[in-house]
Amino acid sequence: MLSMLRNPRQALAQLLNFCLILSTAFMMWKGISVVVESPSPIVVVLSGSMEPAFQRGDLLFLWNRNVYEETQVGEIVVYNVRGKDIPIVHRVVRKFGEGPEAKLLTKGDNNVADDTELYARGQDYLERKDIIGSVVGYVPFVGYVTILLSEHPWLKTVMLGFMGLVVVLQRE
């Protein structure tokens, strides 16, 4: 640590490397978002409502193919409820109409009732603009890190402190 204070050039190089890693991750996220035409190309399953298809902690990959093709009954979609920031992963169980004006009704595989109670006040069905994307793949349980960090905020502090310590103490 003291050697870094004596060599500001090395400290600056390490800081720039850290910034480069962060900016590369951000650019990759935005690049994937553009390719799959979805503002959130990767989501984590936060509840057990889609069991047995997906478990809590599964990492889902999305593709917004619904821009080019119709959403079909049985398809698993991720949607945002108006006024809420948490995406919901559920299956389309009914479809009314065709094209961009189609109305969709969703339900979790492990839920008894459909999602009408989850929708925004006055909203009975989903519309095309509510859908973030369709699930095209998943990796089991990888998203548990995200769940742990959101359920235990002190872990974020520990992890960031450890990362900062590694950056500061790293030798080249």
Side-chain angles (χ1 to χ4, degrees), residues 59 70 87 141 151:
L59 189 71
E70 289 281 323
F141 305 113
E151 288 180 354

Side-chain angles (χ1 to χ4, degrees), residues 114-168:
D114 60 38
D115 291 348
T116 51
E117 294 296 319
L118 296 176
Y119 300 155
R121 179 175 287 171
Q123 181 182 11
D124 295 325
Y125 302 101
L126 292 178
E127 297 174 1
R128 174 67 198 102
K129 63 184 176 188
D130 299 318
I131 295 177
I132 297 172
S134 299
V135 177
V136 293
Y138 76 101
V139 178
F141 305 113
V142 174
Y144 255 109
V145 174
T146 304
I147 292 173
L148 287 173
L149 291 175
S150 64
E151 288 180 354
H152 305 288
W154 61 270
L155 279 176
K156 287 181 193 176
T157 307
V158 169
M159 190 175 90
L160 288 172
F162 179 73
M163 288 171 39
L165 190 63
V166 167
V167 167
V168 168

Side-chain angles (χ1 to χ4, degrees), residues 4-170:
M4 288 185 61
L5 295 176
R6 288 186 216 129
N7 191 351
R9 181 178 241 162
Q10 182 182 8
L12 183 61
Q14 288 179 338
L15 178 66
L16 289 175
N17 281 337
F18 183 70
C19 291
L20 181 64
I21 290 169
L22 289 179
S23 63
T24 301
F26 179 74
M27 287 187 297
M28 286 175 60
W29 177 265
K30 286 302 178 185
I32 292 171
S33 294
V34 168
V35 169
V36 300
E37 297 184 24
S38 175
S40 183
I42 300 171
V43 295
V44 175
V45 177
L46 298 175
S47 74
S49 67
M50 280 303 291
E51 291 178 359
F54 301 117
Q55 307 294 319
R56 186 170 191 251
D58 288 355
L59 189 71
L60 305 179
F61 300 100
L62 307 181
W63 182 36
N64 203 356
R65 70 172 190 74
N66 299 321
V67 171
Y68 307 108
E69 298 177 25
E70 289 281 323
T71 304
Q72 303 299 323
V73 172
E75 190 171 332
I76 299 173
V77 297
V78 177
Y79 65 91
N80 270 337
V81 175
R82 295 176 201 149
K84 298 180 183 174
D85 287 337
I86 299 174
I88 298 173
V89 181
H90 281 172
R91 190 179 305 272
V92 176
V93 292
R94 296 192 74 190
K95 180 179 175 182
F96 304 96
E98 296 291 324
E101 301 303 317
K103 306 290 184 196
L104 305 170
L105 183 64
T106 56
K107 176 184 171 295
D109 290 356
N110 203 22
N111 293 351
V112 176
D114 60 38
D115 291 348
T116 51
E117 294 296 319
L118 296 176
Y119 300 155
R121 179 175 287 171
Q123 181 182 11
D124 295 325
Y125 302 101
L126 292 178
E127 297 174 1
R128 174 67 198 102
K129 63 184 176 188
D130 299 318
I131 295 177
I132 297 172
S134 299
V135 177
V136 293
Y138 76 101
V139 178
F141 305 113
V142 174
Y144 255 109
V145 174
T146 304
I147 292 173
L148 287 173
L149 291 175
S150 64
E151 288 180 354
H152 305 288
W154 61 270
L155 279 176
K156 287 181 193 176
T157 307
V158 169
M159 190 175 90
L160 288 172
F162 179 73
M163 288 171 39
L165 190 63
V166 167
V167 167
V168 168
L169 297 178
Q170 178 188 11

